[in-house]
Amino acid sequence: MNRSEYKDFYDKVGKLNGWDFSKLRTTSEGEQWNFLYEVTQRCNKSNLLLDIGTGGGEALISIADAALLLVGIDHSEGMIQSATENLKKSNKTNIRFLQMEAENITFPEFFFNVVSCRHSEFYATEVSKALANDGLFLTQQVSENDKLNIKQAFGRGQDFGTDEGILKDKYLTELAEAGFTDIQSFEYDATQYFQTYEDLVFFLKYTPVIPNFGQTDHDFEILQKFIESNKTEKGIKTNTKRFMIVARK
C-alpha cells in the first residue's frame, strides 16, 4: 500500500466501525506496558493533551479524566465522524476532535503539555511546535515484525521484508534533530492469541496487516491452513511486536 491507499483504507474503516476493536477477543502474554496507562501516568489534571491519529476516539475518551483538556486529531474524515459520535455517547465535556493532518498541526505553538501518538504517523518537527517547553511526547508504534507468522503465511504484508528497527531508528533520529532530549525507547515482542476464526478475520479485514485481505478465495485458503498450523488451547497464535518512545522537549 502506498500512502494514498492507506488514507483511503483508514477512511473506509473509520466510516464502517470507527476503528473500534473493543469486541475483538484476544489475549496476550508478555506485553511490557499499557500505552494509555503510560500516558495517564505522565499527565496531571491541569495539562492540555494532544493525541495524533486518534482514530475513532475510543482510547482518548477512556482517559478523559487524566487531563484538563484532551484534543484528538486525525486526517480521516470518517474517523473524526466516528469519534464525534462516540464523544456524544460518552457525556465527556473536556474532549475535542478535529480533522487535521499530522504533518501540519495548526494549533498555537507550545500549546500542549503532553502529546501522544499510538500506531499512527507523526512528524517530530510538528510535535515540537505544538509542545510546550519541558513538555512530553509519547508514541507507541507497530514494529516491522509484528504478526510475522501471518505475513509469512500470506507471503505479503505491512512492512513484510523490511528490516526490523528501521522505523524506530527513523523516529529516534528525527526527534533528536527536532531538539528533543532525554529520548528513551522500549520494545517488546509478545505472544497473542485470537480466540476464534471470526476474531482473526475481523482483525485482518479492518487492519492493513495483510493488504487487500479477502479479495480472493485464495486468501481464505491460506488463512485456513494458517489456523490449522497455529491453533492452540489458548487460541490462534501469533505475535504482537511494539516499540514505545518517550521524549522530553
Side-chain angles (χ1 to χ4, degrees):
M1 278 190 181
N2 60 36
R3 194 173 176 208
S4 175
E5 289 171 330
Y6 271 122
K7 286 196 172 189
D8 290 344
F9 172 81
Y10 282 110
D11 205 46
K12 178 182 176 184
V13 172
K15 289 173 180 174
L16 287 173
N17 81 330
W19 215 245
D20 181 9
F21 293 104
S22 60
K23 296 176 183 176
L24 191 64
R25 293 166 297 173
T26 68
T27 56
S28 295
E29 298 173 351
E31 292 185 354
Q32 294 180 20
W33 64 79
N34 177 295
F35 182 69
L36 291 178
Y37 177 79
E38 297 296 329
V39 172
T40 60
Q41 289 302 293
R42 290 167 173 85
C43 284
N44 64 53
K45 299 288 187 180
S46 63
N47 280 167
L48 306 183
L49 168 66
L50 173 65
D51 186 46
I52 298 171
T54 202
E58 298 90 357
L60 199 62
I61 291 168
S62 75
I63 61 168
D65 295 337
L68 179 67
L69 175 68
L70 304 89
V71 180
I73 63 171
D74 202 288
H75 66 74
S76 165
E77 180 185 358
M79 291 298 182
I80 295 301
Q81 288 174 356
S82 292
T84 301
E85 290 300 314
N86 289 330
L87 181 58
K88 289 177 183 176
K89 297 172 188 174
S90 75
N91 295 318
K92 300 294 183 181
T93 59
N94 64 329
I95 300 179
R96 304 290 183 271
F97 291 113
L98 299 168
Q99 186 177 3
M100 189 179 295
E101 296 288 341
E103 60 190 306
N104 185 25
I105 296 175
T106 56
F107 296 106
E109 290 189 5
F110 319 131
F111 190 68
F112 295 95
N113 308 102
V114 179
V115 177
S116 62
C117 177
R118 180 175 175 270
H119 303 174
S120 186
E121 192 174 29
F122 70 88
Y123 296 82
T125 53
E126 291 297 303
V127 173
S128 180
K129 285 196 306 186
L131 199 56
N133 290 330
D134 201 39
L136 203 62
F137 173 61
L138 302 92
T139 184
Q140 177 176 286
Q141 299 289 336
V142 178
S143 299
E144 288 88 349
N145 284 345
D146 179 69
K147 305 296 181 291
L148 184 58
N149 62 346
I150 297 178
K151 296 172 187 175
Q152 288 171 335
F154 282 87
R156 71 182 200 270
Q158 187 178 26
D159 296 320
F160 184 57
T162 304
D163 289 340
E164 178 68 22
I166 287 179
L167 183 62
K168 184 178 76 170
D169 290 344
K170 170 182 177 289
Y171 281 146
L172 289 172
T173 299
E174 290 175 355
L175 286 165
E177 290 174 348
F180 283 85
T181 58
D182 190 20
I183 304 171
Q184 298 177 293
S185 66
F186 312 86
E187 59 184 299
Y188 67 72
D189 192 355
T191 303
Q192 183 178 32
Y193 301 95
F194 287 86
Q195 286 192 16
T196 68
Y197 172 90
E198 289 79 10
D199 290 311
L200 184 52
V201 168
F202 180 91
F203 174 82
L204 294 175
K205 182 178 179 182
Y206 290 113
T207 71
V209 169
I210 302 298
N212 304 314
F213 169 78
Q215 291 190 3
T216 68
D217 289 341
H218 185 53
D219 276 356
F220 289 96
E221 293 171 9
I222 295 172
L223 181 62
Q224 191 62 47
K225 291 178 182 177
F226 172 82
I227 291 172
E228 290 170 3
S229 299
N230 293 279
K231 193 165 187 178
T232 72
E233 290 182 357
K234 296 179 180 180
I236 304 161
K237 184 178 179 180
T238 183
N239 76 309
T240 297
K241 191 159 190 182
R242 302 285 185 265
F243 67 86
M244 179 170 66
I245 299 173
V246 181
R248 189 170 295 280
K249 181 179 168 185

